[in-house]
Amino acid sequence: CLSDWSSDVCSSDLVAGDPCYDRLAASLPSRDSYRRALRVGDRKLVAVSSTWGPGSLLCQHPGLLAELLRQLPSEDYQVAAIVHPGVWSWHGARQVRAWYADCVRRGLVLVPPEEGWRAVLAAADVVVGDHGSVTCYAAAAGIPVLLGSFPSDEIEPGSPVAHLAEIAPRLRLDQPYPAQLGQAASAWRPDQYSAIKALVTDIPGQSARTIRALLYRLMKLPAPTVDLQVRPVPVPRQVALPETFGDRA
């Protein structure tokens, strides 16, 4: 929501939608292209999303990625990790690569912080996440979600993430992961997650043109007549490790 910057141009707040969600939604039809880029094939793609801070998924369960790779047969599953850009910025790219180097060697797709998370969500069969916005976007886009961490004291009541916590199943660390992932996918119901989408955006697919119209009004210029098209995001790439990175003597 953009506030009233100029009373002579805009007399009230404006509902501007969510351009980030709009690009994710526009990318969903490109699912097959993204899966080819990730070399998923006929396997199930499990996207693991972790925000930052002490309540985040990978802070609460630092061994989760390794355990997923151990329990999920590589011929049936591909695992991708979406780590919040704040983690990359605070700790540095070298440290993040070092943390997950063994997992990458075992087949983990480590998504770069700059771009790729929406393409991975569009390609995913299920998302294991926390209270971060990526998990909420996944649910709003209709992707089955399992919550592996949820610090309720950090969440605003009534927010989209709080509503997600009411309907999404929880990942049980003491139970086999393959069965839980399958159950989450089979139990997914569109009506459950449509409520999340309604909380994320009131005007799906219209955010860019709404914001552009407002900006031109603020500049007191005629708006372009060419309609804006929401484009799919690029095909995803993954973080590569140098050949000698993390080698043990």
Side-chain angles (χ1 to χ4, degrees):
C1 184
L2 302 180
S3 59
D4 182 7
W5 295 339
S6 175
S7 59
D8 62 337
V9 176
C10 184
S11 61
S12 63
D13 289 348
L14 177 76
V15 176
D18 190 324
C20 189
Y21 171 81
D22 286 351
R23 288 206 73 190
L24 171 59
S27 301
L28 294 176
S30 301
R31 171 183 169 86
D32 290 343
S33 297
Y34 300 147
R35 289 175 68 86
R36 283 194 296 270
L38 294 167
R39 300 179 180 178
V40 176
D42 295 330
R43 296 177 294 169
K44 299 292 186 183
L45 177 59
V46 180
V48 180
S49 173
S50 181
T51 189
W52 61 343
S56 64
L57 178 60
L58 292 180
C59 188
Q60 288 288 308
H61 309 297
L64 177 62
L65 292 174
E67 186 61 20
L68 282 168
L69 291 169
R70 187 187 72 80
Q71 289 195 28
L72 303 178
S74 59
E75 63 269 22
D76 297 324
Y77 292 91
Q78 173 71 64
V79 180
I82 303 168
V83 181
H84 194 283
V87 177
W88 290 86
S89 177
W90 183 263
H91 296 283
R94 181 176 178 84
Q95 179 63 75
V96 176
R97 291 197 302 267
W99 282 336
Y100 305 118
D102 287 343
C103 290
V104 171
R105 294 189 185 97
R106 294 167 56 192
L108 174 74
V109 172
L110 185 57
V111 181
E114 299 85 5
E115 180 61 88
W117 64 270
R118 284 171 293 196
V120 169
L121 290 187
D125 295 286
V126 63
V127 171
V128 178
D130 54 19
H131 59 299
S133 58
V134 171
T135 311
C136 197
Y137 279 128
I143 303 160
V145 165
L146 271 168
L147 288 177
S149 173
F150 193 83
S152 56
D153 58 332
E154 298 182 17
I155 305 304
E156 181 69 22
S159 66
V161 181
H163 187 74
L164 176 61
E166 297 175 359
I167 62 175
R170 303 301 174 97
L171 182 71
R172 293 285 304 274
L173 300 180
D174 59 343
Q175 299 292 327
Y177 294 156
Q180 295 185 72
L181 295 172
Q183 289 168 4
S186 61
W188 176 84
R189 297 206 318 269
D191 61 303
Q192 286 183 311
Y193 296 100
S194 61
I196 304 294
K197 176 182 174 181
L199 290 171
V200 168
T201 176
D202 284 326
I203 50 171
Q206 302 177 47
S207 180
R209 63 177 63 96
T210 301
I211 294 174
R212 183 180 71 173
L214 172 64
L215 293 178
Y216 274 88
R217 287 205 306 272
L218 292 172
M219 294 185 293
K220 300 182 179 179
L221 294 173
T225 57
V226 177
D227 191 24
L228 283 174
Q229 300 296 321
V230 183
R231 296 181 298 173
V233 297
V235 294
R237 59 185 181 87
Q238 57 182 300
V239 174
L241 302 179
E243 291 184 6
T244 59
F245 188 86
D247 284 353
R248 296 177 175 84

